[in-house]
Amino acid sequence: MTALKERLYKLYQENEVKVDIAFFLGGFFFDLFTLSDIDNLFGIGQQIAYLLILGTVLYWDFLATQGLVQIPKRFEKAWDYRQLLVHFLFGSLLSIYSLFFIKSASMFSSIIFIVLLLAVMVANELQRIRKGDISIKIALFVICIFSFFSMTVPVLLGFVGVIPFLLSILLTILVMYGIFLLLKSRSTDLNYLKKRLLAPSGAIVALFLVFYFLGWIPPVPLSIQSIGVYHGVEKSEGQYILSYETPQWKFWHHGDQDFTAEPGDTIYIFAQIFSPARFSDSVILHWYYLDPRAGWQTTDKIPMSIAGGRKTGYRGFSSKQNYSEGRWRVSVETTDGREIGRIYFKVTKVTEANPNRVFFKDVF
């Protein structure tokens, strides 16, 4: 048995990079195929367990690197494998949060945040990061802590906005400060703790604050299931019947994005927005018109209440009867101005009605 352990340990040392990547990918795909709804209690419990294990390992790592604890000989071999565990857990958590953020992101407004988050996942694979000092792992840990709170706090409160965000920031700070106090009680090198723990923690928190006020952080847990432009929206027996002219072979169009407006036509924007159960909030359908001289100009901001619990998303619509010919866009935004999604369309006005006009129907 001892000989087998020695061979496995030697094999790991010789193929450390490949094994670490395999464990990271294992964590990613494990959560990719087992990812549950954002308000699933088992999923939340799993994340808490992962964060507690990570926090415990990093805590002892802090003490060990300062020579404040001696790892018992019977645990030395297991301690050497801690990086595999840390790698798997970081891979798993970062994949969970990346997938949830991507689901809620508008690529137009959140692309920088999403790219940076994915870059963190890739950086987690670099030899320099894996072998880097403890402050790099602390920075990754703070990202995971904040991501956890930024998803669970809005679910618990039932709405998104500046209050849930600031509460998530505050809880992240409290967690890291609690770890600082625990380490301070056992460490005599206060400067080391400030440099390796407080500095990276503060930097990540400050970065998230900047991203939020720039509108780059996606408004988790809300996400756009679908959005389209239509000539008509009717509600019958709990279902919405949508009318559009665009031939179905133009599958890349969402309704009538090339909107031919005959006299008396109304433009309808229909959207399905996912939110967790017991969620009650509102979003803004923000209408813009592309003025040839002044650029994109706001014409209307129409609130739409949403309630959670429906798998395919809460359904609602906005309409406009007074409009100009040209380019338009409608953005679905939270009440604090973060964009969930948007759609572009072009309006072409005709002076005479077409008696042979045919509408297709979709039912939602």
Side-chain angles (χ1 to χ4, degrees), residues 205-218:
V205 168
L207 196 61
F208 278 124
L209 282 167
V210 171
F211 284 176
Y212 176 80
F213 289 107
L214 288 173
W216 290 355
I217 297 181

Side-chain angles (χ1 to χ4, degrees), residues 20 90 112 259:
D20 282 351
F90 271 138
I112 295 177
F259 193 96

Side-chain angles (χ1 to χ4, degrees), residues 131-305:
K131 296 298 184 182
D133 61 41
I134 191 70
S135 59
I136 297 175
K137 297 183 181 68
I138 290 297
L140 292 175
F141 184 64
V142 175
I143 290 173
C144 292
I145 289 289
F146 168 77
S147 298
F148 171 76
F149 285 128
S150 70
M151 295 178 185
T152 54
V153 169
V155 169
L156 292 173
L157 295 181
F159 62 93
V160 297
V162 66
I163 292 176
F165 171 78
L166 292 178
L167 186 55
S168 301
I169 287 288
L170 177 61
L171 290 171
T172 301
I173 293 172
L174 289 176
V175 168
M176 298 313 299
Y177 186 66
I179 294 174
F180 169 74
L181 292 179
L182 285 174
L183 289 168
K184 183 183 176 183
S185 66
R186 302 192 61 171
S187 175
T188 57
D189 192 345
L190 191 58
N191 287 330
Y192 181 85
L193 290 181
K194 289 180 179 179
K195 184 178 179 181
R196 296 289 186 259
L197 180 69
L198 294 186
S201 298
I204 295 299
V205 168
L207 196 61
F208 278 124
L209 282 167
V210 171
F211 284 176
Y212 176 80
F213 289 107
L214 288 173
W216 290 355
I217 297 181
V220 177
L222 301 179
S223 63
I224 287 284
Q225 304 290 90
S226 66
I227 183 172
V229 186
Y230 299 94
H231 272 81
V233 175
E234 301 174 36
K235 189 173 183 181
S236 177
E237 297 180 352
Q239 293 183 314
Y240 286 88
I241 303 170
L242 314 180
S243 303
Y244 60 98
E245 288 187 282
T246 302
Q248 293 181 338
W249 61 267
K250 290 187 177 182
F251 57 87
W252 61 91
H253 276 218
H254 300 278
D256 289 323
Q257 287 181 262
D258 290 325
F259 193 96
T260 301
E262 295 186 0
D265 278 354
T266 298
I267 300 174
Y268 291 88
I269 301 296
F270 177 85
Q272 285 185 293
I273 303 171
F274 170 80
S275 61
R278 298 177 298 279
F279 203 86
S280 180
D281 203 351
S282 62
V283 296
I284 305 297
L285 296 181
H286 193 162
W287 292 70
Y288 295 87
Y289 173 68
L290 181 58
D291 187 288
R293 295 182 179 179
W296 289 106
Q297 300 294 308
T298 295
T299 64
D300 297 280
K301 288 186 176 182
I302 303 173
M304 184 176 82
S305 298

Side-chain angles (χ1 to χ4, degrees), residues 48-156:
I48 292 173
Y50 284 8
L51 290 169
L52 286 174
I53 294 171
L54 268 174
T56 301
V57 173
L58 293 177
Y59 172 80
W60 286 103
D61 219 352
F62 241 108
L63 296 177
T65 54
Q66 291 185 273
L68 298 175
V69 293
Q70 184 67 39
I71 304 300
K73 287 188 176 182
R74 64 180 180 275
F75 295 130
E76 283 182 351
K77 291 294 184 182
W79 183 249
D80 288 338
Y81 288 105
R82 72 189 183 281
Q83 297 303 334
L84 285 178
L85 177 63
V86 168
H87 212 58
F88 178 87
L89 295 178
F90 271 138
S92 182
L93 289 170
L94 289 172
S95 67
I96 289 173
Y97 302 137
S98 296
L99 290 169
F100 278 132
F101 276 127
I102 288 171
K103 286 175 67 176
S104 293
S106 167
M107 288 297 106
F108 300 99
S109 61
S110 303
I111 183 65
I112 295 177
F113 177 80
I114 294 300
V115 168
L116 288 175
L117 193 61
L118 294 176
V120 168
M121 291 183 62
V122 174
N124 190 46
E125 293 307 303
L126 299 179
Q127 183 77 4
R128 184 178 177 183
I129 300 297
R130 291 199 309 271
K131 296 298 184 182
D133 61 41
I134 191 70
S135 59
I136 297 175
K137 297 183 181 68
I138 290 297
L140 292 175
F141 184 64
V142 175
I143 290 173
C144 292
I145 289 289
F146 168 77
S147 298
F148 171 76
F149 285 128
S150 70
M151 295 178 185
T152 54
V153 169
V155 169
L156 292 173

